[in-house]
Every structure is written in structure tokens, then in C-alpha cells.
Amino acid sequence: MKTKVYALVFLGMAACAPLVVNGVDFGTDSSRFANDGECDDPRFAGAGMARDLYGVNIKEDATDCARLFEAQQIRPVRSRAQSSPAECRSIDFGNNSSEFANDGDCDDPRFTGPGTFSVMLGDDEKADANDCRQLCASGGAWLR
């Protein structure tokens, strides 16, 4: 019995050590979505990402995100410096069918930036046009 208790304590401590790959701190596997094959950390974008993203998962899905990063299926989201409000002219913002449309936050998961909400649901893609268009034009949101 004592052996099992000690093993659990050791594994718990190992799980808390951050995973760093090629200088990127992926954090730990403390998310309830960790080890499900998808990256749930909203600091990344790409084909390997989960459909819904929650800010509480930042640095909490290390194994999935590191594996997908190394396989080049995800990348870090773009920074404001890597974007331009001019690119907003060519974006299809969709409509305002989201229940969160017109609330001042861009809820479309294609976007990042200080004007975006911390929960990004796949159902809100192209469904918060007014907010995202305005924030994109002002530099408060940009394509991930």
C-alpha cells in the first residue's frame, strides 16, 4: 500500500514540471482536456486545435500541444505586430447570429487580441460580425 501512495506522490510532482520544447513553454497537463489528442491552449492556432477554446487552458495541455507543435499541426497565434488593420478589408466576418453578438467582444474563434473574449466557441465562427469587424479595424482583434 505504501508503495502505491509514494508512486502517486512522485507522479503528481512530475506532472507539475513545465514541458519546454524548442524554447516554448507548454506548461503542464493540468487541464481536464489534457491528453485528448487536441491542443486546447488558446495561445496556438492550426489544424490540431480543439474546436472550443477556454482561457483557463493556457499552459495546461502540454503533451498534446507540444506533440502537435513538433508535427507542425499548430503554431503560436499571430501577434498584433504580425497583423494589420488593412487585412480586415478582405475578411468574411459572416453575420450576427451568435447569442454574444453586439456585446463589444469579438467572440469569433478565428481572432485573437485584447478585444476577444476568453472563451472561444466553434459555433461563434463567422457569427459576431459587428464586434469583430469593429475591433479588427481598430487593432483590438486580428486573425489568429
Side-chain angles (χ1 to χ4, degrees):
M1 186 70 164
K2 286 184 180 179
T3 305
K4 290 181 182 177
V5 172
Y6 291 127
L8 289 174
V9 170
F10 175 74
L11 288 173
M13 288 190 306
C16 292
L19 175 62
V20 178
V21 176
N22 295 332
V24 178
D25 180 357
F26 290 96
T28 65
D29 283 321
S30 54
S31 168
R32 69 183 181 122
F33 302 110
N35 298 306
D36 65 356
E38 298 177 315
C39 179
D40 295 282
D41 186 333
R43 297 177 304 146
F44 299 94
M49 295 301 297
R51 184 170 188 270
D52 298 333
L53 300 174
Y54 303 89
V56 298
N57 288 320
I58 292 174
K59 292 187 178 184
E60 294 196 0
D61 193 13
T63 300
D64 288 335
C65 296
R67 182 184 59 76
L68 291 162
F69 181 79
E70 288 182 313
Q72 298 181 346
Q73 293 182 349
I74 64 168
R75 60 170 172 71
V77 297
R78 297 169 54 209
S79 69
R80 183 187 312 231
Q82 294 170 312
S83 69
S84 165
E87 71 188 7
C88 299
R89 290 188 288 267
S90 63
I91 296 172
D92 176 7
F93 289 95
N95 57 47
N96 290 297
S97 60
S98 169
E99 68 178 290
F100 307 107
N102 299 307
D103 66 356
D105 293 320
C106 176
D107 297 292
D108 186 327
R110 298 176 300 158
F111 293 86
T112 191
T116 61
F117 193 64
S118 64
V119 175
M120 301 303 263
L121 304 176
D123 288 344
D124 290 329
E125 185 172 325
K126 294 186 179 180
D128 191 14
N130 290 344
D131 291 333
C132 296
R133 183 179 293 112
Q134 181 180 3
L135 286 160
C136 189
S138 69
W142 55 88
L143 290 173
R144 297 170 56 78

